[in-house]
Amino acid sequence: LLPVYDRPMIFYPIQTLVEAGMREIVIVTGGNNAGDFIRLIGNGKEFGLKQIHYTYQEGEGGIAAALSLVEPYVRGEKIVVMLGDNIVEGSIRSGIAAFRKQRGAMVYLAEVDNPNAYGVPVFRKGRIVKVEEKPKRPKSNYAVIGVYIFDHTVFEAVDHIKPSLRGELEITDALQYLIDHQYNVQARHLTGYWTDTGKMDDMLEANRWVLEQI
């Protein structure tokens, strides 16, 4: 709900999804401000959405737990997941088109200076074989950003993983389940600007970048 320049942060991922062809989305919210999202976004028509759904996550169960709440709306189809604090430059349309004929998952990556602050993919012969969460010694300079494409097998993964030490169902564990069970987990490299705005420094950087685009 916080502003990035002249728009609430949530507007940026919604616009990325709509530009990529999405016309039905589910917003997972929590905490005391869930109603503010409904008042702000309404039925989504001003974004070009045909349908918008809202669902509520109790507590801090993790991204994978939030994803499990979306399953009733998916009806066995493929799904694009984008975290609400992510701002990306350019389009993810080509990745979605490429995934239409594939199964498993597609993970968007960005090259960063501090990969130890993110989930980091480990590659073997060009394929992701593991995702390490905030490793002390990263094996690559790529970060798993908050954009994913899944088929229905992700819900199988979420059903089988256990809470992490911080008591959350981690999306990295869901990805590892898919990898371990021979589902195809592909990497897609994002070109252009990306940031998540989870910290104040990132918020300031995002505001600077948006201003430069005007």
Side-chain angles (χ1 to χ4, degrees):
L1 295 170
L2 293 173
V4 175
Y5 187 54
D6 60 344
R7 288 171 287 172
M9 188 191 306
I10 189 67
F11 280 28
Y12 293 89
I14 291 176
Q15 289 165 341
T16 296
L17 293 171
V18 171
E19 190 281 330
M22 303 298 101
R23 293 297 178 264
E24 180 179 4
I25 70 170
V26 184
I27 294 181
V28 182
T29 62
N32 297 322
N33 298 103
D36 294 331
F37 287 93
I38 299 174
R39 285 186 287 272
L40 178 67
I41 301 168
N43 60 15
K45 286 186 177 179
E46 69 175 277
F47 294 95
L49 292 167
K50 291 183 178 179
Q51 282 190 304
I52 187 168
H53 312 279
Y54 299 89
T55 188
Y56 185 83
Q57 181 181 17
E58 296 182 356
E60 297 181 357
I63 296 169
L67 181 56
S68 70
L69 299 174
V70 177
E71 185 175 8
Y73 303 96
V74 176
R75 300 179 294 275
E77 297 184 19
K78 294 176 179 178
I79 180 174
V80 181
V81 177
M82 187 168 182
L83 303 190
D85 62 355
N86 272 234
I87 297 175
V88 302
E89 180 183 16
S91 177
I92 60 172
R93 183 183 290 268
S94 62
I96 293 171
F99 193 74
R100 291 188 186 280
K101 298 179 181 180
Q102 299 165 7
R103 294 189 62 194
M106 180 178 285
V107 179
Y108 272 83
L109 308 175
E111 194 165 9
V112 296
D113 295 328
N114 57 335
N116 58 319
Y118 302 96
V120 176
V122 178
F123 295 99
R124 183 181 301 151
K125 296 182 179 179
R127 297 176 64 88
I128 297 178
V129 295
K130 190 175 183 180
V131 177
E132 297 179 333
E133 186 65 29
K134 298 180 177 62
K136 293 182 179 180
R137 296 182 178 179
K139 294 182 175 64
S140 73
N141 291 325
Y142 288 99
V144 175
I145 70 171
V147 182
Y148 313 86
I149 310 175
F150 296 109
D151 69 4
H152 67 279
T153 56
V154 70
F155 299 112
E156 173 190 331
V158 172
D159 286 343
H160 284 83
I161 61 176
K162 304 297 182 184
S164 64
L165 292 177
R166 61 178 181 172
E168 298 185 3
L169 294 180
E170 308 286 356
I171 194 69
T172 49
D173 289 340
L175 290 169
Q176 194 62 52
Y177 176 93
L178 295 175
I179 293 168
D180 292 344
H181 288 78
Q182 308 305 312
Y183 293 112
N184 188 22
V185 177
Q186 305 169 62
R188 187 86 177 183
H189 297 277
L190 184 74
T191 58
Y193 178 82
W194 162 77
T195 187
D196 68 33
T197 48
K199 298 178 181 178
M200 185 55 66
D201 288 348
D202 298 322
M203 281 284 291
L204 293 171
E205 166 63 19
N207 274 274
R208 180 200 61 77
W209 180 80
V210 171
L211 279 166
E212 288 182 352
Q213 309 311 304
I214 297 173

